Amino acid sequence: MLTVGDKFPSFDLNAVVDIDPAKAFERITDQSNKGKWKIVFFWPKDFTFVCPTEIASFGKLNGDFNDRDAVVYGVSIDSEFVHLAWRQNHADLKDLPFPMLADIKRELSAALGILDKNEGVAMRATYIVDPDGIIRFASVTDLNVGRNTQEVLRVLDALQTDELCPCNWQKGQDVLKAA
């Protein structure tokens, strides 16, 4: 699995950005939103139970990520058409403010090393990628366990200080000074 310090892989994927079929689809690449921090999170499958809770939570925090010059990309191995149908049929996903990327050929998931060996789906992985395309945070949880989106925001805040941040540090608190 790629991890902190590695270059995030190149990608070129179809994405769903709206529930209106006439304007639903867009191409997103590693060059999209150049110069911004990227929060890239993966979920195993659409039309499941844990996944929409996380996706909706990232949606609620999208403005906070944008305030920090970061964009959010959600990714699964489902097609853009499955993403669209799920968004159209799940109340918590209808107004999602970030793109849902379709890694249907599993190329990005494979390049990151996050395909579940038994299920063949993307693991529940989260990456924070800096404006230079370097992974600065990587986390994977079991397929059955949802992640803490507030923690992803907290880690982004800490990374953006470029300082030493103690355990449980929160934005606005003092950072550590090396003696």
Side-chain angles (χ1 to χ4, degrees):
M1 182 180 131
L2 294 185
T3 191
V4 173
D6 291 331
K7 181 90 169 142
F8 197 83
S10 295
F11 64 92
D12 184 350
L13 299 172
N14 287 321
V16 172
V17 296
D18 198 285
I19 60 171
D20 177 355
K23 53 185 178 178
F25 304 111
E26 188 176 302
R27 299 286 295 175
I28 304 286
T29 75
D30 53 300
Q31 297 302 305
S32 300
N33 295 293
K34 201 159 179 68
K36 292 195 175 278
W37 288 81
K38 293 180 177 77
I39 309 304
V40 186
F41 74 99
F42 292 78
W43 64 89
K45 298 177 190 174
D46 291 5
F47 290 97
T48 57
F49 306 101
V50 175
C51 300
T53 66
E54 298 179 303
I55 296 166
S57 184
F58 272 110
K60 288 176 185 157
L61 291 178
N62 193 68
D64 294 311
F65 285 113
N66 288 338
D67 289 346
R68 290 151 173 87
D69 205 29
V71 294
V72 175
Y73 296 147
V75 190
S76 86
I77 52 91
D78 293 289
S79 77
E80 65 272 27
F81 303 106
V82 175
H83 287 337
L84 177 61
W86 196 25
R87 282 192 60 180
Q88 290 172 329
N89 290 285
H90 196 295
D92 294 338
L93 305 180
K94 285 186 188 271
D95 296 320
L96 203 60
F98 59 82
M100 297 172 83
L101 283 64
D103 188 22
I104 192 164
K105 294 198 277 185
R106 295 166 167 77
E107 293 171 338
L108 181 56
S109 301
L112 286 163
I114 59 164
L115 284 175
D116 183 85
K117 293 175 182 136
N118 296 321
E119 299 293 325
V121 298
M123 290 190 272
R124 205 173 292 285
T126 309
Y127 294 91
I128 298 176
V129 182
D130 73 17
D132 296 320
I134 304 301
I135 298 169
R136 302 287 301 277
F137 170 86
S139 173
V140 177
T141 62
D142 187 270
L143 294 179
N144 293 334
V145 179
R147 69 202 103 201
N148 182 330
T149 56
Q150 284 291 151
E151 175 63 1
V152 177
L153 185 63
R154 186 195 76 81
V155 171
L156 176 64
D157 285 337
L159 288 168
Q160 289 182 337
T161 69
D162 205 24
E163 299 285 343
L164 299 172
C165 296
C167 177
N168 299 321
W169 177 89
Q170 294 291 321
K171 187 174 183 166
Q173 292 179 337
D174 290 338
V175 295
L176 299 173
K177 298 297 177 197

